[in-house]
């Protein structure tokens, strides 16, 4: 029964008013590895939408400074998770995030889609590979947490339920996934970065990239012109992940202390520490002319500096 102690704890918390506490437990104690993997692979999905992938390419951040850009993204979100959205550190994190996004011509639809990947993909990953699925109560809290983040970012027309977020994500991908060489370059750079993360850096790079491709649906692979892995490869790697989940369930106890992203070995840009207000980029103008991709941009609410 001790293995389910954290689940029992989250079930006692209110998914409407205490969703930050629930998500903090899930992401730092109950499923830290699963959430990290799910959000890493969620990034690839966003690249496959050309209006997003091309912007990331043309800023140069994800192709020329891939490690730093990855670290900055993770650490800003980690600040919100660790300290809370209403804390001083949380306000600084929102200010930094909104300053960066506000410098670019990003449509509300694209912003809302990216947010949907953060809502949906961890829930799906944990259902497939976690040691247990999230409870409906936890899914509601997870959704409310990212709805709050979306509101602080000035994103309009946010879905109200997890099911609505999933429908939005799936529909947006069906309509917008497409090949663009610049988007592929961003995906290639991120995939190369993943091969350097411990402990996968000890494995052959071809094996690590094959593993990554087995976790991508055909539509995502096609958007990057990546070869489809064999049915056997998909089965082997997915069974390995499911076996890991069973090992965690029956061999490990709940984590007594949280593990935050800043403590991970794959976060390497700031060995001497960092200030959240100095993270990220400080662009003055958007380097990309989006055209049709930003048709709804003139009506987009201006980003907030903080909560």
């Amino acid at each position: 029964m001790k293995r389910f102690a954290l689940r029992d704890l989250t079930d006692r918390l209110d998914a409407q008013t205490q969703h930050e506490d629930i998500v903090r437990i899930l992401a730092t104690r109950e499923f830290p590895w699963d959430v990290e993997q799910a959000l890493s692979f969620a990034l690839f999905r966003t690249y496959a939408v050309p209006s997003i992938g091309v912007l990331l390419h043309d800023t140069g951040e994800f192709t020329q400074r891939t490690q730093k850009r990855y670290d900055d993204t993770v650490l800003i979100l980690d600040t919100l998770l660790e300290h809370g959205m209403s804390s001083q550190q949380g306000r600084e994190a929102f200010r930094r995030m909104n300053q960066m996004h506000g410098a670019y011509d990003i449509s509300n639809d694209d912003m809302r889609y990216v947010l949907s990947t953060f809502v949906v993909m961890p829930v799906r990953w944990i259902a497939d590979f976690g040691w247990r699925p999230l409870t409906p109560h936890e899914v509601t809290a997870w959704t409310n947490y990212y709805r709050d983040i979306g509101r602080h970012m000035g994103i309009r027309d946010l879905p109200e339920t997890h099911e609505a977020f999933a429908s939005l994500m799936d529909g947006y991908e069906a309509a917008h996934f497409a090949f663009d060489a610049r988007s592929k370059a961003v995906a290639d750079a991120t995939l190369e970065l993943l091969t350097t993360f411990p402990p996968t850096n000890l494995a052959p790079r071809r094996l690590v990239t094959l593993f990554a491709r087995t976790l991508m649906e055909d539509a995502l692979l096609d958007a990057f012109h990546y070869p489809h892995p064999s049915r056997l490869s998909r089965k082997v790697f997915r069974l390995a992940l499911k076996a890991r989940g069973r090992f965690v369930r029956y061999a490990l106890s709940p984590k007594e202390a949280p593990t935050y992203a800043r403590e991970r070995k794959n976060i390497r840009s700031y060995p001497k520490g960092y200030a959240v207000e100095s993270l990220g980029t400080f662009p003055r103008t958007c380097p990309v002319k989006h055209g049709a991709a930003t048709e709804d941009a003139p009506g987009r609410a201006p980003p907030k500096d903080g909560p």
Side-chain angles (χ1 to χ4, degrees), residues 263-276:
E263 300 172 286
R264 298 177 193 156
K265 293 181 179 179
N266 58 359
I267 303 298
R268 298 175 285 202
S269 298
Y270 305 98
K272 297 182 180 180
Y274 61 91
V276 68

Side-chain angles (χ1 to χ4, degrees), residues 232-307:
L232 177 61
S233 296
R234 285 191 186 276
K235 185 174 182 179
V236 168
F237 283 112
R238 287 174 178 269
L239 283 175
L241 286 172
K242 289 179 181 293
R244 177 198 172 272
R246 294 184 68 83
F247 174 80
V248 171
R249 175 168 184 163
Y250 293 109
L252 301 182
S253 298
K255 288 175 62 67
E256 296 294 333
T259 299
Y260 291 102
R262 57 180 170 76
E263 300 172 286
R264 298 177 193 156
K265 293 181 179 179
N266 58 359
I267 303 298
R268 298 175 285 202
S269 298
Y270 305 98
K272 297 182 180 180
Y274 61 91
V276 68
E277 61 268 22
S278 66
L279 295 173
T281 60
F282 294 82
R284 295 185 178 181
T285 58
C286 181
V288 180
K289 298 297 183 183
H290 293 272
T294 55
E295 287 178 351
D296 68 335
R300 181 163 63 93
K304 301 178 182 179
D305 278 346

Side-chain angles (χ1 to χ4, degrees), residues 24 27-28 39 71-85 87 89-90 93 97 145-146 149 258-264 267 274 276 279:
R24 191 174 297 113
T28 69
L39 293 181
D71 291 354
D72 289 347
T73 300
V74 170
L75 291 173
I76 288 173
L77 292 172
D78 193 54
T79 299
L80 297 173
L81 182 66
E82 180 173 4
H83 299 286
M85 299 185 202
S87 67
Q89 298 94 324
M97 187 159 46
Y145 178 83
Y146 281 102
I149 287 180
T259 299
Y260 291 102
R262 57 180 170 76
E263 300 172 286
R264 298 177 193 156
I267 303 298
Y274 61 91
V276 68
L279 295 173

Side-chain angles (χ1 to χ4, degrees), residues 56 80 110 114 147 180 193 197 205 226 251 261 293 301:
L56 294 173
L80 297 173
D110 277 354
V114 173
R147 275 176 51 82
D180 188 288
L193 177 66
F197 288 168
R205 291 190 177 187
Y226 284 167

